[in-house]
Amino acid sequence: MLKNLNPQQLAAVKHFGSPLLIVAGAGSGKTKFLTHKIAYIIDQKLTAPQHILAITFTNKAASEMKNRVQELLGEQCTEFPFISTFHSFCAYVLRKDFQSLNRPNNFIIYDSYEQQKLIKNILKNMDISKTSYTYNFVLAKISEFKNKLISYQDYATLPSNHILYDQVLAQIYEKYQQGLISNNAIDFDDMLFYTVVLFQRNPLVLAKYQTQFKYLLIDEYQDTNHAQYNLAKLLASQHQNIYVVGDFDQNIYSWRGANVQNILNFEKDYAQAKVLYLEQNYRSTKTILKAANGLIKHNQQRKEKKLWTENAEGEPLVFYKTKDEKQEAEYIAQKILSLKEKSEYQDIAVLYRTNAQSRVLEEILASQKIPYKLVGGFSFYSRSEVKDIMAYLRLIYNQADNQAFIRALSKPSRGVGQTSITKLLNQSQATNLSIYELIKQNKTNLATKQTQSLKSFATLIFELEQYYQTLTEDKIGKLVKSLLKKSGYQQMLEIENTPISLDRLENIKEIISITKNENLELGDFLNNIALISDIDNTVNLDNAVTLMTMHNAKGLEYKIVFIAGMEEGLLPHYRSKNIPEALEEERRLCYVSLTRAKEQLFLTAVDDRLIFGELWKRPTSCFLDEIPQDTLLIMEEEKSYSGHPHSIVYKSKEKFKNNQAFDHDFNVGDKVKHKIWGEGIIHNLEGIAEKSIAHIRFNGESKKLMLKYAAVTKV
């Protein structure tokens, strides 16, 4: 059973008697350790299988773990340990013991649709504008509170000047929870929340599960949020037989509540804890690991570790900078075609920081007949927010398009429900008039409030159509900018202000970039989009290049990896650059992306990138300076790209040009101005050169900003 383990894995599997943290680097065989640990406990009869609890984050990972344990134990595996996700385990507990919190055990679990319906009714009854408190915004905030174990009662007692407190949100939160209770329902966040509360308030219930589960194993510990962390600590508090696996260098989900301090503080939480490192990598070449190690060592929130491998030295990382994003995509397509001689499409992945980047890549790959598939998302033109804006454009072009009318009407919501829409569709069919025409002729036969909403919307479409007729250049880009503003769609996403909503806004604004400098008519543009969408539906996915965001790439591996958009503002992302902790997470994200590659890595960037229809100069990512230069092969283009997939000739550059050293003239006491937070005063400075950090107090709130990237000026 243990013969295929390396010395570090073997030591980890055989360790008992105290809590254990396994720091498992990328490609080091963490799943192998976990499954062998479980099998070894059972094989050595240290406890019965049913007394082992193994928790992971996805059903897929849990299923894989079960299968591997069964393979290791063979015929002696007649009983199984409890291997599940956090949520599945919590559902199991609540089904048995929810009554200890005076709640019935036969609860139902609300999905996102049912949650939205409940919030919708609450907002309607409270007469709250949906532009101020959207469903997604409210649900994201409530989820955040629950994952921080903040009940609605606790939230309501927060002081009014607390960073989290919002009086209206407090009322919505209370009504939402009361609504769940009255329907004998819980949501997914409640599973974690109530299980922790149950264990905290009922020592006897906690003791029952501590007795039942004498060994606790947790995968991806660096991704645990506050609730998950507390749940683990409660379960392990009696026996201390807790074995967690994770990697502080792969913590990339703070926006989902993951807290890197959970893994960094493991030894503080468990006084007798032992830490073992799995540093032998079985995935990548020596060169790739040297590049990744050189990058991640610049992070402060980590413990020293260095991946190594017995694999071959391998080829250098190739960096190539193009003029713009179209040439970047063309270069990637050309390289894929040349690599196809020795590799399959399915061996290749293209990673990018933002979903909006996929648009140009999709179009170029499709034009070169390179099959591709998207992981963790929809193709660009299939994304709901893009389809919403396309519905507006279709309606502006053709007011008889009822389906476009209905979709555009609902985003943002204008108070016209499904019952009214059904009546309009029936009336349209009976009269052979479009919904738009029914409104125009005042023949809707609806209540006054709904009729007014419909008239306002029809007026909006008419005004946008008239505005389009006045345009002479960049017509579609200007039209999209106008409709985003006048329709309230942009405001809706900005007010929501979640990572998902901001990502959607980036996708929408990418539409503005599509027709820049082409000056297409609206009808031609819509036809082109329809043709592109048709290509999306016909690609062969059996052997295809994988396109995905860097976040979705975690846990995966490919023979060849492209990382597109190695530029300031993309990687690291512009929303992260001013905050040291966020910059470290961006660096971890880059590290994760580098370590997905087994044999070859290609990094690309552009000089100028169209962002929201405007051309932006793009300096290369600061992370490129942090990658050891002897691992990089810098390629230059000898002649311009002609459009033919084999028309580029390259030459190598001997070394990478580092950015000029950063300096500043800020001092403690300086009054400064920031474009978002306004005026403030520097009350502390730390670090030197490009690592200089200013502590600035804005309206009583202190911010830590890296001066190299912070948009601050002296006043």
Side-chain angles (χ1 to χ4, degrees):
M1 179 186 295
L2 307 180
K3 62 182 179 180
N4 294 322
L5 301 178
N6 66 37
Q8 291 76 26
Q9 291 170 332
L10 185 62
V13 168
K14 287 190 171 183
H15 172 84
F16 294 98
S18 68
L20 177 65
L21 165 62
I22 302 297
V23 180
S28 63
K30 66 177 179 67
T31 305
K32 188 174 185 178
F33 155 72
L34 282 167
T35 53
H36 279 76
K37 185 81 173 180
I38 294 169
Y40 188 73
I41 293 171
I42 296 170
D43 184 68
Q44 297 296 303
K45 295 181 170 54
L46 300 177
T47 193
Q50 60 266 32
H51 294 313
I52 302 170
L53 173 61
I55 298 179
T56 186
F57 275 81
T58 67
N59 290 316
K60 182 182 177 183
S63 179
E64 183 182 352
M65 199 178 294
K66 290 176 184 176
N67 292 334
R68 289 202 191 183
V69 170
Q70 188 172 19
E71 288 174 7
L72 286 169
L73 292 172
E75 293 181 358
Q76 66 173 304
C77 187
T78 56
E79 293 183 275
F80 277 93
F82 197 110
I83 302 175
S84 76
T85 63
F86 273 102
H87 287 93
S88 294
F89 170 72
C90 291
Y92 167 80
V93 171
L94 295 178
R95 289 292 183 200
K96 289 181 173 295
D97 291 288
F98 209 10
Q99 76 277 359
S100 297
L101 290 177
N102 297 316
R103 293 286 301 274
N105 294 359
N106 63 335
F107 56 85
I108 57 173
I109 301 170
Y110 268 17
D111 60 18
S112 58
Y113 174 74
E114 291 164 323
Q115 288 178 279
Q116 283 198 4
K117 279 179 60 180
L118 178 55
I119 292 292
K120 180 180 179 180
N121 289 332
I122 292 168
L123 297 181
K124 183 179 179 181
N125 293 334
M126 293 178 67
D127 197 26
I128 295 174
S129 168
K130 297 181 182 66
T131 57
S132 300
Y133 294 87
T134 65
Y135 312 145
N136 289 331
F137 168 77
V138 170
L139 288 171
K141 285 295 182 183
I142 291 174
S143 177
E144 178 188 349
F145 302 150
K146 291 181 180 181
N147 287 328
K148 290 179 178 178
L149 300 177
I150 301 172
S151 67
Y152 76 85
Q153 296 96 332
D154 294 334
Y155 187 74
T157 60
L158 290 175
S160 58
N161 62 348
H162 194 281
I163 190 170
L164 290 177
Y165 186 73
D166 179 317
Q167 185 177 8
V168 176
L169 202 55
Q171 297 174 26
I172 297 171
Y173 187 12
E174 180 178 1
K175 291 180 183 297
Y176 174 75
Q177 286 303 113
Q178 289 174 345
L180 289 174
I181 292 169
S182 65
N183 287 287
N184 191 23
I186 63 173
D187 61 26
F188 280 91
D189 296 309
D190 280 334
M191 294 186 201
L192 290 163
F193 178 88
Y194 282 124
T195 303
V196 173
V197 171
L198 174 65
F199 288 169
Q200 289 173 334
R201 294 182 184 178
N202 295 272
L204 291 177
V205 174
L206 173 60
K208 180 176 76 171
Y209 289 97
Q210 289 172 333
T211 301
Q212 181 177 347
F213 300 113
K214 297 176 181 177
Y215 290 87
L216 174 62
L217 299 92
I218 302 176
D219 192 14
E220 304 286 7
Y221 193 68
Q222 80 281 345
D223 292 335
T224 52
N225 61 30
H226 185 66
Q228 291 160 339
Y229 162 81
N230 277 275
L231 178 64
K233 202 169 181 184
L234 286 163
L235 283 170
S237 60
Q238 181 178 341
H239 297 291
Q240 297 285 296
N241 292 326
I242 179 171
Y243 312 116
V244 305
V245 183
D247 183 5
F248 32 76
D249 291 334
Q250 296 189 70
N251 175 266
I252 59 174
Y253 296 125
S254 66
W255 50 278
R256 290 197 317 213
N259 187 350
V260 71
Q261 295 302 321
N262 292 349
I263 189 169
L264 291 172
N265 292 337
F266 188 83
E267 292 168 273
K268 294 180 182 178
D269 293 331
Y270 302 94
Q272 304 301 314
K274 185 176 179 65
V275 181
L276 294 175
Y277 289 79
L278 302 184
E279 296 174 298
Q280 183 175 358
N281 176 283
Y282 294 93
R283 176 185 299 155
S284 305
T285 64
K286 287 183 173 67
T287 300
I288 290 172
L289 293 185
K290 184 177 181 181
N293 287 331
L295 170 73
I296 201 63
K297 73 178 184 181
H298 289 82
N299 269 8
Q300 301 299 311
Q301 292 193 80
R302 67 187 298 268
K303 296 178 180 180
E304 186 61 33
K305 95 171 181 310
K306 190 173 183 180
L307 292 180
W308 63 276
T309 186
E310 293 180 348
N311 294 341
E313 195 72 29
E315 299 180 34
L317 285 66
V318 175
F319 174 71
Y320 181 67
K321 192 172 188 180
T322 67
K323 179 179 179 293
D324 55 34
E325 66 271 21
K326 184 178 179 183
Q327 288 192 9
E328 178 186 47
E330 289 170 336
Y331 165 76
I332 291 171
Q334 181 268 329
K335 289 302 297 183
I336 290 172
L337 289 171
S338 66
L339 292 163
K340 183 64 171 62
E341 297 176 5
K342 296 182 179 180
S343 304
E344 297 294 327
Y345 287 130
Q346 62 194 23
D347 297 325
I348 303 171
V350 184
L351 312 183
Y352 37 83
R353 177 62 179 85
T354 68
N355 274 303
Q357 290 172 260
S358 80
R359 195 268 306 173
V360 178
L361 288 163
E362 289 179 62
E363 291 182 7
I364 297 300
L365 292 181
S367 70
Q368 298 290 346
K369 294 182 171 53
I370 298 173
Y372 68 87
K373 60 182 179 182
L374 282 101
V375 172
F378 296 99
S379 63
F380 183 82
Y381 294 105
S382 297
R383 293 166 192 165
S384 63
E385 62 274 14
V386 175
K387 292 174 80 170
D388 290 341
I389 302 308
M390 289 302 166
Y392 274 96
L393 295 178
R394 283 167 49 196
L395 187 59
I396 292 166
Y397 182 69
N398 174 19
Q399 286 85 41
D401 189 338
N402 279 352
Q403 293 305 314
F405 187 102
I406 292 167
R407 184 168 191 125
L409 177 70
S410 65
K411 294 289 184 70
S413 177
R414 294 175 170 85
V416 182
Q418 189 57 50
T419 302
S420 297
I421 288 171
T422 302
K423 288 180 181 178
L424 287 169
L425 284 170
N426 291 337
Q427 199 174 351
S428 174
Q429 189 174 4
T431 60
N432 205 27
L433 295 172
S434 69
I435 296 175
Y436 182 90
E437 193 63 28
L438 287 171
I439 298 166
K440 188 177 174 181
Q441 295 185 24
N442 201 26
K443 295 180 178 180
T444 56
N445 298 326
L446 295 176
T448 303
K449 187 176 181 180
Q450 282 78 22
T451 299
Q452 279 303 120
S453 293
L454 289 167
K455 284 182 176 180
S456 297
F457 179 69
T459 301
L460 167 68
I461 300 302
F462 175 77
E463 290 175 350
L464 288 170
E465 193 269 338
Q466 292 298 300
Y467 170 69
Y468 172 74
Q469 298 299 334
T470 68
L471 300 173
T472 57
E473 59 181 19
D474 191 22
K475 299 173 71 172
I476 296 170
K478 290 177 179 176
L479 177 61
V480 172
K481 287 180 182 178
S482 181
L483 81 83
L484 282 174
K485 184 178 180 180
K486 291 184 176 181
S487 67
Y489 203 108
Q490 182 168 340
Q491 182 188 24
M492 174 186 74
L493 294 176
E494 287 175 341
I495 290 174
E496 191 172 313
N497 196 33
T498 63
I500 293 174
S501 71
L502 296 177
D503 191 36
R504 286 174 175 163
L505 187 57
E506 288 182 357
N507 285 332
I508 289 169
K509 289 185 175 180
E510 177 64 15
I511 298 170
I512 300 169
S513 301
I514 297 173
T515 59
K516 190 69 175 179
N517 301 322
E518 293 187 21
N519 208 33
L520 288 174
E521 293 294 333
L522 184 54
D524 294 331
F525 173 72
L526 292 171
N527 286 340
N528 290 348
I529 300 305
L531 290 171
I532 293 169
S533 300
D534 187 60
I535 292 172
D536 288 343
N537 294 328
T538 58
V539 295
N540 174 22
L541 301 183
D542 293 334
N543 182 24
V545 174
T546 300
L547 305 184
M548 71 183 111
T549 65
M550 294 175 169
H551 284 97
N552 283 322
K554 188 169 177 290
L556 303 176
E557 62 181 33
Y558 295 88
K559 183 179 176 181
I560 302 159
V561 171
F562 291 83
I563 302 177
M566 292 288 293
E567 307 146 24
E568 297 292 302
L570 277 180
L571 186 69
H573 197 274
Y574 70 89
R575 294 199 295 266
S576 307
K577 290 290 301 243
N578 293 339
I579 308 167
E581 293 83 0
L583 183 62
E584 290 212 350
E585 181 157 338
E586 290 290 297
R587 187 178 286 109
R588 291 194 292 270
L589 184 59
C590 186
Y591 171 82
V592 167
S593 300
L594 294 174
T595 54
R596 299 311 93 194
K598 298 164 74 173
E599 296 182 10
Q600 286 182 278
L601 258 170
F602 295 88
L603 314 177
T604 63
V606 305
D607 289 317
D608 305 300
R609 188 177 292 275
L610 271 175
I611 301 178
F612 314 151
E614 302 294 329
L615 204 62
W616 289 71
K617 289 286 183 184
R618 310 299 295 189
T620 54
S621 171
C622 59
F623 297 153
L624 281 164
D625 287 335
E626 298 174 355
I627 294 173
Q629 301 301 291
D630 60 352
T631 67
L632 278 169
L633 178 63
I634 314 303
M635 305 302 290
E636 288 184 324
E637 190 177 336
E638 278 191 347
K639 61 181 181 179
S640 61
Y641 188 76
S642 70
H644 190 275
H646 301 289
S647 65
I648 301 178
V649 180
Y650 309 99
K651 60 181 182 180
S652 64
K653 253 173 114 177
E654 290 184 1
K655 65 179 183 178
F656 188 78
K657 291 182 179 178
N658 291 317
N659 293 336
Q660 293 182 344
F662 172 77
D663 200 6
H664 68 86
D665 61 350
F666 292 100
N667 297 292
V668 174
D670 282 350
K671 192 174 182 179
V672 297
K673 187 174 182 178
H674 189 276
K675 63 180 182 180
I676 296 176
W677 297 305
E679 292 187 354
I681 296 175
I682 298 175
H683 62 88
N684 190 28
L685 288 167
E686 62 182 74
I688 60 173
E690 59 272 335
K691 294 187 177 180
S692 300
I693 296 172
H695 297 246
I696 308 174
R697 188 171 287 109
F698 298 97
N699 296 319
E701 184 180 355
S702 185
K703 301 281 187 182
K704 289 169 62 179
L705 306 180
M706 294 194 76
L707 287 173
K708 183 177 179 179
Y709 310 113
V712 293
T713 55
K714 285 188 179 182
V715 178

